[in-house]
Amino acid sequence: MTEFTKPAVLFVCVHNAGRSQMAAGYLRALAGDRIDVFSAGSEPGNAVNPAAVTVMAEEGIDLSSATPQILTTDAVRQADVVITMGCGDACPIFPGKRYEDWQLTDPAGQSVDVVRGVRDDIKGRVEQLIASLV
């Protein structure tokens, strides 16, 4: 019998306050316990972007208690897939990991309507990611 190991995904953006939090929220909601989900930032902010919290609540996903986390080498090491979102060279590279760079508008300082568009883009990408992993 083959033992199944869950894939682990790490979402990284600069402040871990918008894009990476929304992506992690969607992956948790859509994949359930089939995938381990983490997010972090190269320069984490003090709180999750209120517009991101608002637009994710519209989808039934609660980010109100999420807290930006600092990106660590250990976080990258434990991930099978690392999704970067504008963190540039701040993300350490380990051989054998799958890396994707998602070009997304930074929701910081944007209107709720703009953040909704970013959210919808992220949802589609997360659905494709799930299909590739499970």
Side-chain angles (χ1 to χ4, degrees), residues 25-99:
Y26 267 128
L27 187 55
R28 286 185 188 103
L30 298 173
D33 63 357
R34 297 177 294 165
I35 298 172
D36 287 330
V37 183
F38 306 95
S39 70
S42 54
E43 298 173 21
N46 295 323
V48 174
N49 180 333
V53 173
T54 296
V55 301
M56 292 302 285
E58 294 171 356
E59 294 282 292
I61 298 170
D62 183 8
L63 295 184
S64 64
S65 62
T67 306
Q69 302 295 313
I70 184 75
L71 175 64
T72 65
T73 301
D74 285 342
V76 177
R77 189 175 287 124
Q78 74 183 359
D80 298 300
V81 180
V82 179
I83 309 289
T84 58
M85 304 171 183
C87 69
D89 296 333
C91 191
I93 304 294
F94 287 97
K97 304 284 181 195
R98 173 177 157 191
Y99 288 88

Side-chain angles (χ1 to χ4, degrees), residues 10-26 28 37-41 63 68-69 83-85 104 107 122:
L10 171 65
F11 293 102
V12 182
C13 66
V14 176
H15 300 296
N16 189 221
R19 296 166 288 187
S20 57
Q21 291 284 355
M22 289 190 286
Y26 267 128
R28 286 185 188 103
V37 183
F38 306 95
S39 70
L63 295 184
Q69 302 295 313
I83 309 289
T84 58
M85 304 171 183
L104 298 162
I122 289 171

